Amino acid sequence: MNSIFHIQQGQKIEEVDLEERIGMTGMSMLNLAAMDLPVSPGFIMEVSKIEELPQKAFRRILDASIQKIANNTGKGFENGKPPLMLKIVLSPGMILESVPILQYLGLNNQSVQDLARNYDSNFAFSAYRTLIEGFSKQFLGIEQQTFDDARTICAGSDPKAHCEYYLTQVVRDFPQNPYSQLEIAMYGMVKNYFTDPLNREIPASVVVQYIPYGSRDNPSLVGSLTTRNTRTGEPKLNGNFCHSEFLDDPEKIQELQKLDQRILDEFEEIAATLEGHFLDIRQVDFVIEAGKARIIQEKGIEHKSVVTKMRILSDLQKNQHISEEEFINSFAPKELNSLLHSTINPNSVKDKISFQGGIGGSLGATCGRVFFSTKKLIDAYWKAKNENRDTRVILMKKSTFAEDVQAVEIGSGVITSEGGYTSHAPIVARSLGKPAIIYPDITFKDGYIVIGRRKVKEGQFVSMEITSSDDPVIILGKAELEYPDIEQNGVKNLLEKAKQFAGGIKIFANADNPDEAKQAKLFGADGIGLCRTEHMFLRDNRIYDLRELLITRNPERKKIVLEKIRTYLTSDFYELFNIMSGMSITVRLLDAPLHEFLPTDENELNETLSHLPDLASEQSKAEISRSFNRLKETNPMLGHRGCRVGISSPEIYDVQTAAILDAALKAKTENNIRVFPSIMLPLIMSQEEMYLLKNGQILEGKENVNGVIGVIRKFMKENKLERQPFEVRIGAMIELPAAALSAADIAKHAEFFSFGTNDLTQTTMGLSRDDINSFLPAYTEMDIWKSDPFQELAEPVKVLVAEAIRSARQVRPDLQTGICGEHAANPDVIKYCLNVGMDYISCSPFGIPIAILAVAQSNLAV
Ligand code: PEP
Ligand code: MG
């Protein structure tokens, strides 16, 4: 075993498990040297060796080692040579609160004069003062207080006078022989270390290193750099430097980029070597002496953002320093959240009033003028647009309903005071990738709100931020936003790699409009797994057509309205087929309770009549109002909803199906796109419903129910097609316990199942997804629930899902199964879904990256 380890550029490490013997600092230096990096030369000795070696042998080793450094640097302890200065530091095999260190060892009354003459007086005497003080405190037993008093006496005098005072009044016997200084310091460090008997058990070493410095003509530069930007991860050297003699003067500090290009190029190479070795961003302290860079110290960065971590690991993977698998396993899927959404620049809101708390319904940050109704928000938006002003608007309401979707679409965020994670506003916001908060402490007044005793008027600017790590925050005033670029920040690379480990599991999006579809595709979705069609009826005054359809008694009008609906729905689906070109799109036929499409008050009724002159001419206002009232329900979520609507008003499902087929054919023939439409029936509870909605029924004396297959037949006839131009799969949403328990029967008529776990949780647990928040805190505080069952799958729901898949596959082994509730973007739920044999995951576009990563990690773990 070696008694001494030389720190010398290019020197290979021959011994194993050395870090246990020489500690981290020493090991770091040997590693850098072995990487052929320009470390400052020196040597390392274990404390046990220093203690054990006979003094003569120890001296011999020191002499030889100093000679080696002298040869390497051209400096020496002898008179007449440029003075050699050393740094001595303890390198323990544990973390110490403060590590003993001594700087500028080697200076004495003579060499300090030489240094002052040939280099810089201020630097020379400051260094000597530091040495005298450090040496005397550590090894000569002089108290700190003595130096504090001396400093007070010397205040205002220059470093030279200061040194003279120390040497005449405080430390009269300061050793002048550099070798003696070195010996005393090394023995002293060992002695001090072993004052604590427990340290006998913990090996350590003493590291001695050369301190570079320049000459008067060619002053040395001291600096520090990080191998890339610590905040953004951008692979660009960051740091600063100054001339050694100006170390204490912040005004003399310059940006790293002002260094010579040759040195910068060398630092680039050093950075690449370090990152390739440590697989992380690193910090390097350096000195440039006569144009030569030397590393003085090197270490990791303590606090890194996920952004930085992603960028560096992505670069390391691209350069093959880490494998794809290592890259994929380096992130918890939820960590991606902060890389997908905009964030607030904290400096821009430092002095603003903010309110923290509530429930984060949808992640991200935004800023905009708040409006308390959809109508006002839309008017304000268009006014701002026409006047070329800031169009950002935020909807703030107690809760939102179907008619508010437009406001969430147009707006940049939504804040509600009621509801929970799976309430209407968060679901819509999540699918659109817009931030949403449920903040209960808001009182709505006429034209203003009160939040935490503060008044906010309609039209005032508010900012909001929801992250996955902190409580959501609402800030009064404008914030500056920062937007992610997934191509640049490494997320895209991660997703591309992760998709290679999908193992056949498809990741679909819950998307029903072009923006969502494009976003999903950008994140790597394999298609659309849930196209919620109710939103399509809420665009551009279409709601009036649906209202007319529901209550007109005129069959001719019904036909006209249906034709009109078919035209615009076709155009909506056509756009989706084009965007998702060649991918599968699963369209869920109308699900929302009819109740949600009805006028809510007199104003809306009048508005409806003004849009429907034909209806108004056929029926009186009172009759129309009565018809609407008849459709109103006490408990719409369990009422005239989902496939119940398809059975009571078959023409609605027929027109939707026809539009899907028309659009698919158009995309296929006009744009040569491969289309894979699937039609999904919501809230199925029995095989009879499924059978009827799929196959139709002949009814005596009434118009027949076509069912999806009947509509396909009609479509072929209309288009004079002999063969079906594309396959249309028909499936069921399993979102009621009744459906899960009769899964084997339903599977006879369904090619796929999509588990709607929002409703399945709601109906299994008997909990309203919109009203859970009033008691959720009590349930989690008292440990009845570990978490919100609308975010984590509750055990009974899991049992139903697993049992439904097991029993259904006995009847139909090739049944495709997936999940499309909000749980689908939860990595733990995804793991569970894969375990029970699901084939796909469908979640909101911004959940797609998380799902892709969670699937890959699950597959890599088996
Ligand atoms: C569900 O219930 O899980 C689902 C996806 O449908 P929705 O949220 O639209 O009711
Ligand atoms: Mg549902």
Side-chain angles (χ1 to χ4, degrees):
M1 274 204 286
N2 281 338
S3 300
I4 185 158
F5 302 93
H6 292 285
I7 305 169
Q8 196 172 7
Q9 184 172 358
Q11 175 92 38
K12 294 289 165 233
I13 301 171
E14 276 147 18
E15 295 191 34
V16 287
D17 298 331
L18 208 49
E19 184 168 337
E20 283 168 23
R21 287 165 53 199
I22 63 170
M24 267 169 350
T25 310
M27 198 63 220
S28 155
M29 281 302 150
L30 292 187
N31 276 332
L32 297 179
M35 281 183 242
D36 203 17
L37 294 178
V39 278
S40 188
F43 60 91
I44 299 167
M45 285 184 82
E46 290 167 75
V47 286
S48 54
K49 288 274 157 39
I50 299 173
E51 200 183 37
E52 263 154 51
L53 272 175
Q55 198 173 25
K56 258 193 176 164
F58 178 56
R59 274 192 190 146
R60 250 197 331 272
I61 290 176
L62 287 192
D63 287 353
S65 305
I66 294 298
Q67 199 49 53
K68 218 173 156 94
I69 298 175
N71 293 344
N72 187 322
T73 61
K75 313 267 165 68
F77 282 159
E78 299 81 15
N79 284 343
K81 266 199 161 184
L84 171 66
M85 293 191 287
L86 299 173
K87 175 176 90 172
I88 306 199
V89 59
L90 185 82
S91 169
M94 63 177 164
I95 310 273
L96 288 184
E97 221 168 83
S98 76
V99 179
I101 183 167
L102 183 69
Q103 301 256 40
Y104 308 111
L105 186 140
L107 283 181
N108 57 21
N109 294 349
Q110 177 61 47
S111 60
V112 74
Q113 301 284 358
D114 295 346
L115 189 63
R117 201 171 40 252
N118 295 324
Y119 187 27
D120 180 84
S121 171
N122 203 43
F123 171 75
F125 285 100
S126 297
Y128 197 28
R129 179 178 58 187
T130 305
L131 170 68
I132 298 168
E133 194 170 324
F135 191 96
S136 310
K137 278 192 297 198
Q138 290 184 65
F139 313 119
L140 303 179
I142 300 179
E143 299 284 325
Q144 174 68 44
Q145 188 57 48
T146 313
F147 286 101
D148 290 346
D149 296 344
R151 275 177 181 267
T152 316
I153 293 165
C154 297
S157 53
D158 64 13
K160 187 175 178 195
H162 210 142
C163 284
E164 275 160 13
Y165 182 83
Y166 275 3
L167 292 167
T168 50
Q169 307 299 322
V170 185
V171 204
R172 291 199 189 88
D173 50 357
F174 181 73
Q176 289 297 306
N177 182 336
Y179 288 99
S180 305
Q181 286 178 12
L182 184 59
E183 211 178 295
I184 295 170
M186 290 186 76
Y187 279 135
M189 270 204 187
V190 176
K191 188 170 157 235
N192 292 348
Y193 183 62
F194 286 144
T195 0
D196 183 347
L198 291 178
N199 286 354
R200 289 245 160 237
E201 307 301 316
I202 303 158
S205 68
V206 176
V207 180
V208 180
Q209 261 183 302
Y210 164 68
I211 297 178
Y213 64 92
S215 62
R216 198 173 283 283
D217 305 332
N218 201 351
S220 57
L221 309 172
V222 186
S224 179
L225 63 86
T226 51
T227 51
R228 54 179 70 215
N229 185 310
T230 47
R231 198 171 79 87
T232 63
E234 191 190 356
K236 191 173 163 217
L237 297 178
N238 247 263
N240 46 46
F241 71 96
C242 71
H243 286 239
S244 304
E245 63 271 29
F246 300 136
L247 260 179
D248 297 334
D249 188 349
E251 290 196 358
K252 297 282 171 34
I253 292 175
Q254 302 185 57
E255 268 188 25
L256 191 80
Q257 308 305 330
K258 297 226 170 95
L259 284 172
D260 265 11
Q261 193 52 48
R262 183 186 58 79
I263 296 280
L264 287 174
D265 291 345
E266 190 184 349
F267 282 157
E268 290 286 358
E269 278 179 35
I270 292 174
T273 309
L274 288 173
E275 289 195 350
H277 178 85
F278 290 104
L279 307 180
D280 208 347
I281 183 170
R282 305 296 290 182
Q283 184 186 322
V284 175
D285 296 343
F286 61 86
V287 175
I288 299 165
E289 179 192 46
K292 179 170 171 43
R294 290 191 194 269
I295 299 177
I296 299 299
Q297 194 178 328
E298 192 280 342
K299 58 183 184 205
I301 303 285
E302 269 181 25
H303 300 290
K304 277 186 306 278
S305 65
V306 184
V307 181
T308 307
K309 182 177 155 191
M310 174 61 73
R311 187 92 189 250
I312 183 167
L313 290 178
S314 173
D315 289 350
L316 287 168
Q317 186 281 317
K318 283 185 191 159
N319 296 332
Q320 295 175 2
H321 286 298
I322 57 170
S323 66
E324 292 175 349
E325 289 88 336
E326 283 168 316
F327 183 33
I328 290 166
N329 282 323
S330 300
F331 294 88
K334 281 189 180 164
E335 275 189 285
L336 298 192
N337 274 323
S338 57
L339 304 167
L340 306 173
H341 299 276
S342 44
T343 47
I344 285 180
N345 178 345
N347 292 332
S348 69
V349 292
K350 264 201 262 167
D351 308 324
K352 296 202 165 36
I353 296 165
S354 62
F355 304 94
Q356 193 146 20
I359 297 171
S362 173
L363 297 166
T366 192
C367 161
R369 287 178 297 140
V370 283
F371 290 93
F372 310 143
S373 76
T374 284
K375 187 169 175 347
K376 283 216 177 124
L377 179 142
I378 291 174
D379 289 349
Y381 170 85
W382 284 110
K383 191 162 186 290
K385 194 162 179 93
N386 292 337
E387 292 169 3
N388 227 352
R389 287 189 292 114
D390 192 338
T391 53
R392 291 174 302 170
V393 281
I394 293 174
L395 182 66
M396 220 175 190
K397 282 189 82 187
K398 270 192 186 157
S399 51
T400 66
F401 301 97
E403 68 266 21
D404 297 314
V405 169
Q406 268 181 299
V408 186
E409 272 177 354
I410 265 187
S412 48
V414 52
I415 300 172
T416 51
S417 60
E418 293 175 357
Y421 186 75
T422 47
S423 295
H424 185 263
I427 289 195
V428 176
R430 269 199 297 282
S431 70
L432 291 164
K434 306 206 172 163
I437 298 182
I438 302 116
Y439 192 81
D441 186 19
I442 298 177
T443 316
F444 287 85
K445 304 272 184 186
D446 193 17
Y448 68 94
I449 56 132
V450 179
I451 174 168
R453 298 222 197 121
R454 290 270 167 179
K455 230 171 163 179
V456 178
K457 284 201 200 139
E458 194 152 31
Q460 249 178 267
F461 266 98
V462 159
S463 305
M464 59 197 280
E465 183 172 44
I466 305 98
T467 63
S468 45
S469 48
D470 287 320
D471 279 345
V473 61
I474 297 174
I475 298 160
L476 305 189
K478 267 193 203 181
E480 199 182 298
L481 302 173
E482 294 178 339
Y483 300 92
D485 173 345
I486 66 158
E487 186 96 44
Q488 203 195 49
N489 68 13
V491 171
K492 189 124 194 267
N493 183 30
L494 179 73
L495 297 180
E496 280 167 8
K497 300 298 170 304
K499 280 206 80 173
Q500 298 169 16
F501 296 90
I505 302 294
K506 298 278 183 221
I507 313 291
F508 292 140
N510 295 353
D512 53 63
N513 66 44
D515 286 347
E516 288 173 1
K518 284 180 201 156
Q519 186 68 61
K521 209 172 156 187
L522 180 76
F523 285 150
D526 294 308
I528 293 180
L530 171 64
C531 173
R532 290 179 163 107
T533 50
E534 35 284 357
H535 297 165
M536 292 176 171
F537 285 103
L538 300 167
R539 293 176 197 146
D540 312 327
N541 290 333
R542 293 174 184 182
I543 193 159
Y544 303 115
D545 298 329
L546 192 61
R547 286 179 186 166
E548 182 166 12
L549 193 61
L550 289 174
I551 60 168
T552 183
R553 296 187 207 124
N554 179 342
E556 280 313 304
R557 277 299 309 158
K558 221 175 200 180
K559 251 193 200 155
I560 294 169
V561 177
L562 281 170
E563 235 0 87
K564 188 176 167 197
I565 294 176
R566 182 168 173 171
T567 308
Y568 54 65
L569 289 187
T570 300
S571 135
D572 285 359
F573 291 126
Y574 174 70
E575 208 173 346
L576 291 180
F577 280 117
N578 281 332
I579 293 168
M580 303 309 287
S581 167
M583 295 180 181
S584 106
I585 298 186
T586 301
V587 182
R588 179 184 74 186
L589 302 186
L590 198 70
D591 173 44
L594 280 188
H595 173 101
E596 286 191 11
F597 295 101
L598 305 177
T600 47
D601 55 26
E602 178 82 11
N603 278 348
E604 268 203 44
L605 180 64
N606 290 338
E607 189 97 347
T608 304
L609 294 179
S610 73
H611 278 91
L612 301 174
D614 291 313
L615 184 71
S617 69
E618 278 169 19
Q619 297 179 39
S620 69
K621 182 176 166 185
E623 277 176 307
I624 292 172
S625 174
R626 267 197 302 281
S627 301
F628 282 134
N629 281 337
R630 267 197 295 276
L631 291 171
K632 292 213 163 132
E633 295 174 314
T634 314
N635 192 351
M637 270 286 155
L638 296 179
H640 202 170
R641 188 196 156 187
C643 65
R644 270 28 108 219
V645 174
I647 285 172
S648 62
S649 307
E651 64 278 10
I652 297 182
Y653 276 17
D654 285 2
V655 73
Q656 288 190 293
T657 307
I660 296 163
L661 300 173
D662 289 349
L665 184 64
K666 192 166 174 228
K668 183 179 155 86
T669 48
E670 285 184 4
N671 305 334
N672 203 15
I673 284 174
R674 288 182 351 120
V675 288
F676 300 94
S678 297
I679 290 176
M680 184 157 79
L681 300 160
L683 232 66
I684 288 285
M685 80 180 136
S686 69
Q687 68 162 324
E688 288 78 11
E689 276 177 341
M690 185 67 205
Y691 181 87
L692 180 103
L693 290 167
K694 180 180 174 186
N695 299 299
Q697 200 173 46
I698 298 170
L699 298 172
E700 284 298 319
K702 271 188 159 184
E703 210 171 306
N704 293 338
V705 177
N706 292 305
V708 176
I709 290 181
V711 178
I712 296 176
R713 272 198 215 106
K714 271 185 154 184
F715 156 81
M716 287 175 59
K717 222 173 180 180
E718 279 169 7
N719 289 286
K720 302 192 178 55
L721 298 166
E722 281 180 12
R723 283 185 48 228
Q724 205 175 302
F726 40 76
E727 195 197 343
V728 181
R729 295 184 328 133
I730 303 168
M733 282 196 75
I734 305 295
E735 39 191 350
L736 296 175
L741 294 171
S742 45
D745 291 329
I746 295 172
K748 289 181 209 153
H749 317 292
E751 284 156 278
F752 65 93
F753 278 178
S754 186
F755 287 89
T757 47
N758 302 332
D759 275 309
L760 190 55
T761 301
Q762 182 160 252
T763 50
T764 303
M765 312 293 283
L767 296 167
S768 156
R769 64 208 240 187
D770 295 312
D771 301 310
I772 187 174
N773 283 308
S774 51
F775 54 89
L776 175 67
Y779 267 64
T780 47
E781 260 163 40
M782 293 182 218
D783 254 1
I784 299 172
W785 289 337
K786 291 270 168 293
S787 57
D788 180 348
F790 287 99
Q791 293 191 43
E792 299 283 345
L793 276 185
E795 268 323 298
V797 180
K798 283 187 182 169
V799 172
L800 285 173
V801 170
E803 183 50 26
I805 295 177
R806 191 199 59 76
S807 61
R809 288 234 170 101
Q810 285 185 344
V811 177
R812 192 188 272 263
D814 64 345
L815 180 85
Q816 296 283 300
T817 59
I819 178 173
C820 66
E822 295 304 303
H823 302 89
N826 178 333
D828 292 334
V829 173
I830 290 175
K831 222 192 240 168
Y832 171 79
C833 292
L834 301 190
N835 277 343
V836 293
M838 284 195 195
D839 305 287
Y840 71 88
I841 306 292
S842 189
C843 55
S844 61
F846 280 82
I848 294 218
I850 293 160
I852 290 176
L853 189 58
V855 167
Q857 289 181 352
S858 282
N859 286 335
L860 283 170
V862 284

